[in-house]
Amino acid sequence: MVHAAEPGVTDTHIRLGMVNAQTGAASGLGRAMLDGATAVFQEANQRGGIHGRSIELVVADDGYDPDRAISETLRLVEEKQVFALFGNVGTPTTNAVIPIVQEMKVPLVGAFTGAMTLRRPVVHEIINFRASYDDESDALVQYFVSRGIKRFGVLYQDDGFGNAVLDGTVRALQRRGMQLVAKGAFQRGTTAVKAGLAALIGHDLQVVIMAGPYTPVAAFVREASQAKLKAALATVSFVGTDSLLQLLGTEGNNILISQVVPLPEERTLPIAAECADLLARHVPAARLSFVSFEGCISATLMVAALRRTGADLTRERLILSFETFDRLDLGGLQVTLRPGDHQASTAVFLTRIADGRIVPADLAPGAK
């Protein structure tokens, strides 16, 4: 039997840490990521673990607050001695722990954020599954520009996340010889969006791209409707599509939403059918949503890397294993990671709310 000297690794267990929002305004995202990951890790354990070791997932709640993310990450790394971190949620919270993972050389895998701070320059310890906010912003801008739309505004959460989407949108427009017409902001953890809306009114906007989690975005959609804002509305995947739909229903009709995973209902994709099956078996109270689907895919990638690393498991060997994935097939999704590129996927899928449900963008009625 191999006796590993690495923190969080014993002859029988691999201890992983998850620090994200389990309570508060973004808790729907953190809980769904946990659901998807739990299903995959429990299945791996039932099948004999990783080279005989079971995965133990220690969960800590940061409430989508950067200061709490720092303290909980330090607690998990120093006191709980986790081997690696998995499934962080949010740009400000993940940005806050970058210095910790770099100094302590702890891998951080599958964060639910598309921020470029985690991608360029490459942070050796950070492995991303999802497309970046630049990728999502570009896809949204291209969708509207191809339909003749030229006047763009952005409603953004005034923090690292909102600014990442704002900057990505500005770059996407500049690449097409265009400029952002107007922008409005709101504070994280609030639904105080009226000032942001006021900054957008009166500019003859044709579309507003919204950067926020589901609670303030839903508040903005309702305020914009009351204010008779005529612009089309769009947002990126971090909104938490399923949670937004629960809040808005048909009030959200025609909102365009970029996704980094395919429609969960598209069960012809093997990974979607597998994740739905794993959730039904191991987390029966949950359903396959966009966020739990991402948690499942990211955890599947994590398990693949742990297996590839072998019995002599170290943090550095794990990172090197990730970097050997070249067009790895995850049930119909191909991912590639290299030493100079720690983002496994660049895929973006455009969806729209239609009749109170999520459909592919081009199938939704009333496109503007």
Side-chain angles (χ1 to χ4, degrees):
M1 187 71 73
V2 174
H3 293 271
E6 287 290 277
V9 180
T10 71
D11 286 345
T12 58
H13 285 82
I14 303 166
R15 184 178 298 122
L16 304 180
M18 174 181 276
V19 181
N20 65 28
Q22 293 295 309
T23 60
S27 60
L29 307 178
R31 290 174 183 172
M33 281 292 286
L34 176 59
D35 288 341
T38 297
V40 172
F41 294 153
Q42 287 192 2
E43 180 69 12
N45 290 345
Q46 281 194 3
R47 293 175 177 268
I50 310 295
H51 301 289
R53 297 182 176 111
S54 294
I55 296 173
E56 175 190 351
L57 185 61
V58 182
V59 182
D61 178 21
D62 65 21
Y64 195 39
D65 176 80
D67 289 338
R68 283 174 63 184
I70 291 170
S71 61
E72 290 300 322
T73 298
L74 286 171
R75 183 174 68 84
L76 262 55
V77 172
E78 294 177 341
E79 295 178 23
K80 296 296 185 180
Q81 292 280 292
V82 297
F83 170 69
L85 296 162
F86 176 87
N88 289 46
V89 168
T91 299
T93 45
T94 310
N95 278 345
V97 304
I98 292 175
I100 297 173
V101 302
Q102 286 182 301
E103 181 180 343
M104 298 185 174
K105 302 191 183 306
V106 181
L108 191 161
V109 180
F112 188 81
T113 165
M116 294 307 294
T117 46
L118 310 182
R119 291 163 170 80
R120 291 285 180 270
V122 169
V123 180
H124 180 66
E125 291 78 13
I126 295 179
I127 302 292
N128 303 287
F129 158 68
R130 57 164 31 233
S132 71
Y133 290 140
D134 276 23
D135 295 326
E136 291 193 66
S137 299
D138 193 79
L140 290 174
V141 168
Q142 177 58 30
Y143 177 91
F144 287 110
V145 168
S146 69
R147 287 155 174 76
I149 287 177
K150 298 179 179 179
R151 298 186 65 80
F152 286 76
V154 172
L155 182 280
Y156 65 104
Q157 185 167 279
D158 191 10
D159 64 2
F161 160 52
N163 279 285
V165 177
L166 173 64
D167 293 345
T169 303
V170 168
R171 284 191 287 268
L173 290 169
Q174 288 175 342
R175 280 192 290 274
R176 295 164 175 83
M178 303 165 66
Q179 291 185 339
L180 188 68
V181 175
K183 61 183 180 179
F186 64 93
Q187 295 302 306
R188 182 180 65 248
T190 76
T191 55
V193 296
K194 288 186 178 181
L197 174 61
L200 296 169
I201 289 175
H203 292 280
D204 196 24
L205 296 175
Q206 293 173 290
V207 60
V208 173
I209 294 176
M210 306 172 290
Y214 51 92
T215 309
V217 166
F220 178 81
V221 170
R222 290 187 171 122
E223 293 284 353
S225 176
Q226 289 183 9
K228 308 250 187 291
L229 184 71
K230 294 180 180 178
L233 300 177
T235 188
V236 296
S237 60
F238 186 82
V239 73
T241 299
D242 298 273
S243 296
L244 181 68
L245 193 60
Q246 285 181 353
L247 288 176
L248 288 177
T250 55
E251 288 182 90
N253 279 354
N254 288 328
I255 295 176
L256 189 73
I257 309 171
S258 57
Q259 313 288 354
V260 298
V261 299
L263 278 167
E265 291 78 17
E266 188 53 66
R267 299 294 160 80
T268 55
L269 198 66
I271 187 71
E274 180 182 342
C275 286
D277 181 56
L278 293 179
L279 272 174
R281 269 190 277 158
H282 299 291
V283 195
R287 55 178 284 274
L288 191 64
S289 65
F290 284 99
V291 183
S292 63
F293 194 12
E294 182 172 340
C296 178
I297 295 169
S298 295
T300 300
L301 183 63
M302 182 72 164
V303 167
L306 287 167
R307 291 197 194 285
R308 180 169 290 196
T309 305
D312 188 9
L313 185 60
T314 69
R315 288 167 169 170
E316 183 60 22
R317 283 174 186 262
L318 176 66
I319 293 166
L320 295 176
S321 292
F322 275 114
E323 292 178 342
T324 65
F325 288 138
D326 184 12
R327 294 187 295 277
L328 174 71
D329 188 343
L330 295 179
L333 291 180
Q334 284 200 339
V335 298
T336 295
L337 289 156
R338 300 187 179 94
D341 185 358
H342 279 194
Q343 179 179 302
S345 171
T346 59
V348 177
F349 308 85
L350 295 183
T351 63
R352 189 185 287 272
I353 300 177
D355 300 322
R357 60 192 185 93
I358 304 298
V359 300
D362 289 337
L363 297 183
K368 296 183 181 181

